[in-house]
Amino acid sequence: MRFNLEQLRAFSLSVERGSFSAAAREMGKAQSAVSTAISNLELDLGLDLFDRSRREPTLTEAGAALLPQALALLEQARLLQGHAEAM
């Protein structure tokens, strides 16, 4: 596993917000940083998560299939952090 939570967050926010730019605003990052994070995630996974042939990126079949797992991992990380803070 070479990907990280920040890449998964960029991926999920891009889907949720509808664009890399909107995800970048949410994350307080440059659009290029979000685009790079997603590109690196795609390289790590060996799959295209977005179709970039149109103005706004759209999920590929692989992206749609992996999104629920990415969201679950992010939720587990949030729960872990909350549990650690409560200790």
Side-chain angles (χ1 to χ4, degrees):
M1 177 176 72
R2 294 169 284 181
F3 59 87
N4 60 52
L5 293 175
E6 195 70 11
Q7 291 169 324
L8 294 178
R9 186 165 180 252
F11 170 48
S12 68
L13 280 174
S14 294
V15 174
E16 181 183 320
R17 300 287 188 243
S19 72
F20 295 167
S21 296
R25 284 190 295 276
E26 175 84 14
M27 296 176 76
K29 296 185 177 284
Q31 183 273 333
S32 60
V34 169
S35 181
T36 298
I38 293 170
S39 292
N40 287 337
L41 177 60
E42 290 174 320
L43 287 171
D44 291 343
L45 296 173
L47 297 166
D48 288 332
L49 301 174
F50 288 97
D51 176 0
R52 293 173 177 81
S53 64
R54 298 189 174 98
R55 184 171 183 264
E56 295 296 332
T58 56
L59 273 179
T60 61
E61 194 173 311
L66 293 179
L67 180 61
Q69 293 174 327
L71 293 172
L73 281 170
L74 290 167
E75 178 62 14
Q76 285 297 313
R78 187 190 67 76
L79 291 172
L80 175 67
Q81 184 66 44
H83 187 91
E85 289 170 2
M87 295 176 93

